[in-house]
Amino acid sequence: MKIIWPWNRKQIERELGSVEDLLATAFKPVTARPAFLNDLRKRLVGSRNPFARVSLSTLELIILVGSALVGVIVLVFTVLRRMLGLFGGKRPAKAGVPRKKGKTLSGEPKKRAA
Amino acid sequence: MPELTEQQALTLATQGDKQAFGFLYDKYAGRIYNYIYYRTGSNQDAEDLTSRVFFRAMRHISNYTDRGVPFSAWLYRIAHNLVANWHRDSSRRQEVELEDGYRASDSDEHPETALEESEEQNALLVLIRKLPEERQQLLILKFVEHMSNADIGQIMDRTEGAIKSLYHRTLLSLREKISKSSSAQASLDVLGEPPEGEA
């Protein structure tokens, strides 16, 4: 730190005053674009706050937990059904197997054309 | 909400009232933008960081507790932290010229005079941005926001006396920088002059 001698003090104070004047002219207030300010306001206040803490009512909580339980039960049931089907359950008819030739709707066998 | 005071708005905002937060936003958005603009030197970055300040404020306002420090101090601290992070992360921090698109200008000045003045002011702002962060913050709060030492102290978490002393040291260091840069400029001017008789 530099020593300020008493005989220099006045001059330094004068110089600091002029630095202050320079600063006062350099720091002009700036204005943000009104469109930007309006848009930001809309994002913050106009729409739903994305950071708001959600507090659920008891009914909402019951519905939420109930739906989750139903979902889990359906999933377990589907998986079990599939596994039982794999280990010896009744197999569904395969697609692409030709059906047995049956009678026509009139009840008589089809006649071949000569 | 025309009859709402800041304190009432603050209480409501901490309880999740968005309109109350809007009231606070309207009051401080311009000031925070100003502060960030002078810390970054760019309109675009100032807009980006101002958005972040208010989103962060909105996210944490429920945790805000009144400890006798003004709400603006809380906002300025958020802004200060975000600007500090921005400076740390940004690799394009080398002497960015201040964009003067939105800076107020005196329209009655002669264009050349205005340009010269603008260049001088930009040079000064470049010098200011070379100062340590706390000194920059102090100068902006003092000259852009016209705050008292006591208010600045609350924002910067220092005593009024410490701010006064820091301000004095900042002016001294700035004076030194200005004299150095002007002597450098003078020597450049001398070097740049065409030799006598050449014209």
Side-chain angles (χ1 to χ4, degrees):
Chain A
M1 196 175 166
K2 280 184 181 176
I3 299 164
I4 298 171
W5 300 108
W7 52 89
N8 285 341
R9 191 175 289 274
K10 271 199 173 176
Q11 194 200 337
I12 285 171
E13 273 174 12
R14 222 179 302 126
E15 283 178 8
L16 292 188
S18 62
V19 171
E20 277 185 317
D21 292 342
L22 275 176
L23 287 169
T25 52
F27 282 121
K28 284 175 186 164
V30 287
T31 355
R33 284 185 305 120
F36 159 71
L37 290 176
N38 290 336
D39 179 56
L40 180 59
R41 194 184 203 285
K42 235 180 254 176
R43 283 195 288 151
L44 285 163
V45 184
S47 59
R48 195 161 172 258
N49 179 3
F51 306 112
R53 285 183 184 167
V54 182
S55 59
L56 297 171
S57 68
T58 318
L59 182 69
E60 284 172 330
L61 201 70
I62 289 168
I63 292 170
L64 195 73
V65 172
S67 315
L69 276 174
V70 168
V72 169
I73 289 167
V74 167
L75 183 75
V76 168
F77 181 74
T78 313
V79 170
L80 278 175
R81 196 165 159 244
R82 190 82 187 163
M83 286 173 75
L84 286 174
L86 276 175
F87 301 113
K90 192 182 172 185
R91 289 185 185 181
K94 282 182 183 172
V97 177
R99 284 198 300 173
K100 279 184 181 177
K101 282 179 184 174
K103 291 176 182 176
T104 56
L105 285 175
S106 59
E108 291 173 4
K110 277 183 183 174
K111 286 177 185 175
R112 283 194 180 177
Chain B
M1 282 184 240
E3 70 281 353
L4 204 66
T5 63
E6 184 179 323
Q7 195 53 45
Q8 287 168 332
L10 195 53
T11 313
L12 289 170
T14 52
Q15 291 161 3
D17 188 323
K18 281 200 273 184
Q19 292 309 313
F21 188 82
F23 173 86
L24 296 170
Y25 168 82
D26 290 339
K27 191 166 182 188
Y28 291 109
R31 290 169 67 180
I32 294 294
Y33 177 87
N34 251 287
Y35 172 76
I36 297 175
Y37 173 80
Y38 277 111
R39 292 293 309 275
T40 60
S42 144
N43 283 311
Q44 227 173 346
D45 292 319
E47 287 185 359
D48 179 34
L49 290 171
T50 305
S51 309
R52 285 198 224 172
V53 167
F54 281 97
F55 273 110
R56 188 176 278 194
M58 196 168 175
R59 193 165 41 192
H60 295 293
I61 197 155
S62 55
N63 304 328
Y64 176 83
T65 42
D66 191 0
R67 291 178 188 141
V69 181
F71 176 68
S72 59
W74 189 67
L75 278 180
Y76 277 113
R77 272 187 206 162
I78 296 177
H80 172 76
N81 291 338
L82 284 173
V83 170
N85 289 345
W86 180 85
H87 277 297
R88 211 170 296 135
D89 298 342
S90 174
S91 54
R92 64 221 146 92
R93 214 165 11 113
Q94 305 120 8
E95 296 182 24
V96 187
E97 285 279 310
L98 273 179
E99 297 167 9
D100 47 5
Y102 298 99
R103 290 182 68 198
S105 61
D106 302 325
S107 54
D108 51 344
E109 273 184 88
H110 191 273
E112 272 185 26
T113 323
L115 186 69
E116 271 176 27
E117 274 188 12
S118 165
E119 278 174 3
E120 276 174 16
Q121 285 163 7
N122 275 340
L124 180 63
L125 290 169
V126 167
L127 285 181
I128 290 166
R129 280 210 303 282
K130 284 179 183 168
L131 294 171
E133 276 186 16
E134 55 174 15
R135 293 185 180 190
Q136 289 182 45
Q137 189 181 14
L138 168 60
L139 290 180
I140 294 166
L141 294 176
K142 203 163 189 71
F143 286 95
V144 184
E145 301 300 329
H146 303 288
M147 284 184 177
S148 66
N149 287 343
D151 290 342
I152 296 171
Q154 282 185 323
I155 291 171
M156 295 177 69
D157 208 11
R158 288 178 181 218
T159 61
E160 194 179 342
I163 294 295
K164 201 175 168 186
S165 155
L166 181 67
Y167 177 61
H168 188 72
R169 276 182 279 134
T170 305
L171 286 184
L172 281 173
S173 109
L174 205 56
R175 181 191 68 122
E176 206 170 305
K177 279 181 193 293
I178 290 168
S179 63
K180 266 184 196 170
S181 79
S182 53
S183 61
Q185 187 59 47
S187 49
L188 276 176
D189 288 346
V190 169
L191 287 171
E193 270 178 14
E196 281 180 24
E198 207 174 84

